[in-house]
Amino acid sequence: MVGLKPSEVPPTTAVKFLGAGSAACFADLLTFPLDTAKVRLQIQGENPAAQRVQYRGVLGTILTMVRTEGLRSPYNGLVAGLHRQMSFASIRIGLYDSVKQFYTPTGADHASVATRLLAGCTTGAMAVTCAQPTDVVKIRFQASIRLGPESGRKYSGTMDAYRTIAREEGIRGLWKGTLPNITRNAIVNCAEMVTYDIIKEKLLDSHLLTDNFPCHFVSAFGAGFCATVVASPVDVVKTRYMNSPPGQYRSPLHCMLRMVAQEGPTAFYKGFMPSFLRLGAWNVMMFVTYEQLQRALMKVQMLRESPF
């Protein structure tokens, strides 16, 4: 490490873990209203309470929420969202390189696409297993509609939501929808991480861009678009199943079949535009911040280790 610049020193696993969680929280703070709009559009046509309010488009959904529920409504579930990112993103993004290296055969110059896909599936599944309760609570808050003071709220706060779900639905209620969420996040993680990894590698190897903001921006935008296209159907089923009251659906498969029967196959892409806007913006903000945080944290670590 002597004589190397912070940008040239490979970041440690701890730096990647902390940097990924922090960068994801920052991206969530800026893009959370888009995520809430996506959830409302995805459950429209399913939630009886939602029939009183019709949402049209991303901006229309956010404006309708603000008009009928108040300025804070697009940020319903933000605390649970930040809980989710600190546990979820830290694992699926922060451990991706380490798992990829573990799967890469000794002596190989580059990891194959299959190795990267396997690493993405592994860290995505690990992250969901650990962070599923935070996702359930986030979805419940985002999907809840409050039309005036008389409508009330089921949960008084984030911690109350964890306790209430565990009490009324059992501990299993906090892990409701784990299977579709593992499927969804394995797909998303592969699409995001592998696409970002490959685009960035090709840009650097071809010398089209250097390892700086434009390179990170292009790679992250491509990753966000790819992830939205392949994951949207699973995301809609996951959202509806996790938000459903006990007994409404027998399984994620039953949820999917009922959705197709009642609303047609286009229901799988409900909320696509806010999903893309959110994932595209989220990926750009997260990856750019993540790359800069890694360098900053490595610089701090080098200064601490320096004898001078």
Side-chain angles (χ1 to χ4, degrees):
M1 289 173 63
V2 177
L4 293 177
K5 299 177 181 178
S7 60
E8 298 171 340
V9 179
T12 63
T13 301
V15 164
K16 292 178 183 178
F17 190 87
L18 179 61
S22 301
C25 284
F26 175 72
D28 242 31
L29 283 170
L30 299 181
T31 62
F32 203 79
L34 293 173
D35 192 44
T36 303
K38 176 203 74 172
V39 170
R40 293 295 180 91
L41 287 167
Q42 286 177 338
I43 65 171
Q44 185 162 255
E46 178 227 26
N47 189 337
Q51 301 305 315
R52 297 173 59 188
V53 179
Q54 291 297 316
Y55 303 116
R56 295 183 182 276
V58 184
L59 182 60
T61 299
I62 294 174
L63 291 176
T64 299
M65 289 177 62
V66 170
R67 187 177 67 252
T68 58
E69 303 173 55
L71 285 171
R72 297 172 59 183
S73 59
Y75 279 92
N76 284 345
L78 176 63
V79 175
L82 297 179
H83 289 174
R84 176 179 180 268
Q85 293 300 352
M86 278 309 298
S87 53
F88 183 73
S90 297
I91 295 172
R92 79 175 182 91
I93 298 170
L95 298 184
Y96 170 78
D97 284 332
S98 299
V99 174
K100 182 179 71 174
Q101 290 171 8
F102 175 78
Y103 287 141
T104 303
T106 305
D109 292 333
H110 295 287
S112 65
V113 174
T115 298
R116 299 178 206 227
L117 289 172
L118 184 58
C121 287
T122 300
T123 56
M126 288 168 57
V128 171
T129 303
C130 296
Q132 181 68 5
T134 64
D135 208 9
V136 171
V137 171
K138 179 182 79 76
I139 292 289
R140 298 287 178 93
F141 271 105
Q142 288 179 313
S144 64
I145 298 173
R146 187 178 187 183
L147 302 176
E150 70 282 356
S151 61
R153 281 199 182 279
K154 186 172 183 179
Y155 312 117
S156 61
T158 304
M159 299 312 297
D160 179 63
Y162 289 118
R163 290 192 294 267
T164 302
I165 293 171
R167 183 176 64 253
E168 295 182 354
E169 303 174 39
I171 295 298
R172 291 178 60 183
L174 289 171
W175 270 267
K176 185 175 185 178
T178 299
L179 183 58
N181 211 11
I182 285 178
T183 304
R184 184 256 184 191
N185 281 293
I187 294 171
V188 169
N189 210 41
C190 286
E192 281 183 355
M193 297 305 300
V194 176
T195 304
Y196 181 83
D197 208 10
I198 291 174
I199 293 176
K200 180 181 174 183
E201 183 179 278
K202 296 302 180 185
L203 289 173
L204 295 177
D205 289 348
S206 61
H207 303 291
L208 290 173
L209 294 171
T210 56
D211 190 9
N212 54 20
F213 174 79
C215 177
H216 304 155
F217 180 91
V218 172
S219 303
F221 186 84
F225 180 76
C226 183
T228 308
V229 170
V230 300
S232 188
V234 183
D235 192 31
V236 174
V237 174
K238 179 212 78 167
T239 297
R240 292 198 174 193
Y241 186 70
M242 287 169 61
N243 183 57
S244 64
Q248 182 173 353
Y249 302 118
R250 294 191 297 273
S251 66
L253 178 61
H254 179 230
C255 175
M256 180 189 74
L257 293 175
R258 180 184 287 185
M259 187 172 69
V260 173
Q262 293 179 349
E263 303 169 56
T266 56
F268 286 122
Y269 282 92
K270 277 193 171 183
F272 178 82
M273 188 52 65
S275 290
F276 172 59
L277 289 176
R278 195 260 176 178
L279 266 180
W282 190 92
N283 271 273
V284 168
M285 294 174 190
M286 193 284 299
F287 277 114
V288 170
T289 305
Y290 179 43
E291 297 279 5
Q292 297 305 313
L293 271 177
Q294 288 184 90
R295 296 180 183 186
L297 290 170
M298 287 308 299
K299 184 176 182 179
V300 170
Q301 183 172 319
M302 290 179 66
L303 289 174
R304 292 179 61 183
E305 294 175 354
S306 173
F308 307 100

